[in-house]
Amino acid sequence: MRISDLENINLPSKYDEEFRKVDLQALFSYDFKNIKSYELDIVGLELKEDTNNYENPLFEITKNFEKKQIVLTINSNIPEPICLVHKIKEDETFYTNSIKIEVKKGAKASLIEVFTNSSQNSAYSVNREFNIEENTDFEYAKIQDINEQNSFLFNAIFKQEENSKCKVSNFELGTGLIVNSYENSIDNKNIEYNLNGLVKSKDSSNTANLIKTIHNNESSTSDINYKHSLKDKAKAVFKAKSIVNKEALYSKAFQNSNTILLSNDATIFAQPHLEILIDELEASHGATTGTLDKEQLLYLQSRGIKKEKAYDMLLNAFEGQIYDNISDELIKEFIDSYERTKYV
């Protein structure tokens, strides 16, 4: 099965503006031997027809195979994060999975997902729909650790009701071809949406984050913050587009991308973009690229700290800003203790 052979899907190319610098041709043309729906080890969950009409064709790839969504419903406060672990094991297999997460009115909850593999030449295409009702406080963390010669498409759409909070933290650790798409159309008042990411890449990894946020109602906040630490021949793409429409008075829209290049061959393409149609708002966007500060390295060494440890201290301080944004202490503990070997 080749993705390029799928009918009724207008697949993106690297020449499309939204997917510029993202080369999916090798994935789309690969002939997978098997197609499988990834089954989670959870019983009793409801299945519902996926009625979404996705504009982004990457969502449609998953929907082509997953006509129904697994529905995970959170009705009330939960004291500990729900944890879902995905382990891709079979070679030359195209896996799919679609989950709808419903967080009901007034609930406070958190969810962690881990994606790992021991496969070769496989791919995993995932859709997530987050329905977050009014007066909820929801936090989501994703660890992606898919290694080279494998691909991962992660597509997430967020739907928030009034006075809801949603905080998302992504940790991109894999060395394969990784494309993450995040979409949030903010149609209600007093929404808080925080999207954070750490892209920690090495070898020949290729990671893209494609983010689209639309403000359609007043007094809401979107805050997008990504850090990249790239070494060897790692490549990363960061494309964030936030649109603030005329109805979205007193909104706040922020975008930020910071990158440290740890080798001469590592590359970043960062494109934050704001499209603002009103004056009554707060907004900013920016992107920086550089290396570890040599003066700080020399200063730490002058204080008796070995060069390797000084290097790690500066890098950890840079990356740690994403960890610090996590609110749920149990999620922090999980991220701090994560080791790939435990989940493969």
Side-chain angles (χ1 to χ4, degrees), residues 25-249:
Q25 184 56 39
L27 170 62
F28 290 165
S29 61
Y30 190 84
D31 190 8
F32 293 97
K33 292 183 178 179
N34 304 299
I35 305 170
K36 282 195 171 185
S37 176
Y38 188 89
E39 296 184 4
L40 292 165
D41 189 19
I42 305 176
V43 296
L45 295 182
E46 184 182 1
L47 289 174
K48 285 185 179 179
E49 198 78 20
D50 187 350
T51 58
N52 290 299
N53 293 314
Y54 301 108
E55 292 183 9
N56 186 331
L58 297 184
F59 286 83
E60 289 292 339
I61 293 173
T62 305
K63 187 179 177 182
N64 184 80
F65 300 99
E66 299 283 352
K67 304 297 184 185
K68 293 187 176 182
Q69 299 170 299
I70 301 168
V71 181
L72 175 60
T73 301
I74 302 172
N75 290 305
S76 58
N77 294 352
I78 54 174
E80 297 182 357
I82 298 169
C83 187
L84 304 178
V85 179
H86 306 247
K87 303 176 184 179
I88 304 304
K89 298 180 179 180
E90 296 188 22
D91 298 340
E92 298 190 43
T93 300
F94 186 78
Y95 287 91
T96 57
N97 179 260
S98 182
I99 299 180
K100 181 177 184 179
I101 295 98
E102 297 180 339
V103 187
K104 295 300 184 180
K105 182 178 178 179
K108 183 176 182 179
S110 54
L111 172 65
I112 302 169
E113 285 196 276
V114 179
F115 298 89
T116 65
N117 75 298
S118 58
S119 58
Q120 294 291 323
N121 299 316
S122 289
Y124 194 14
S125 186
V126 171
N127 281 5
R128 292 291 177 269
E129 178 184 343
F130 297 90
N131 284 4
I132 303 166
E133 295 188 1
E134 61 181 301
N135 299 314
T136 59
D137 187 348
F138 177 67
E139 187 161 10
Y140 175 80
K142 170 171 69 72
I143 297 176
Q144 173 276 123
D145 206 348
I146 302 293
N147 65 12
E148 60 185 336
Q149 297 182 347
N150 295 271
S151 302
F152 183 61
L153 303 178
F154 182 84
N155 311 302
I157 186 169
F158 298 86
K159 301 176 182 179
Q160 293 182 245
E161 296 184 8
E162 284 192 11
N163 302 307
S164 65
K165 298 178 181 179
C166 178
K167 177 175 283 188
V168 181
S169 300
N170 301 292
F171 296 87
E172 309 295 341
L173 310 178
T175 55
L177 171 63
I178 313 299
V179 181
N180 301 298
S181 298
Y182 302 96
E183 297 184 1
N184 192 344
S185 182
I186 298 175
D187 298 326
N188 296 293
K189 297 180 182 179
N190 301 318
I191 301 297
E192 290 186 24
Y193 172 56
N194 298 93
L195 178 61
N196 305 295
L198 172 62
V199 180
K200 187 178 176 67
S201 296
K202 61 181 181 178
D203 300 331
S204 297
S205 61
N206 192 339
T207 305
N209 286 285
L210 312 176
I211 303 162
K212 185 176 182 180
T213 309
I214 304 175
H215 287 256
N216 290 321
N217 213 325
E218 62 186 47
S219 302
S220 292
T221 300
S222 65
D223 190 356
I224 298 162
N225 183 30
Y226 268 72
K227 306 288 184 187
H228 307 82
S229 62
L230 311 176
K231 67 178 181 179
D232 304 322
K233 295 182 178 181
K235 175 185 176 182
V237 174
F238 171 84
K239 299 191 73 173
K241 183 176 184 180
S242 296
I243 302 171
V244 183
N245 287 320
K246 294 179 179 179
E247 301 80 9
L249 297 171

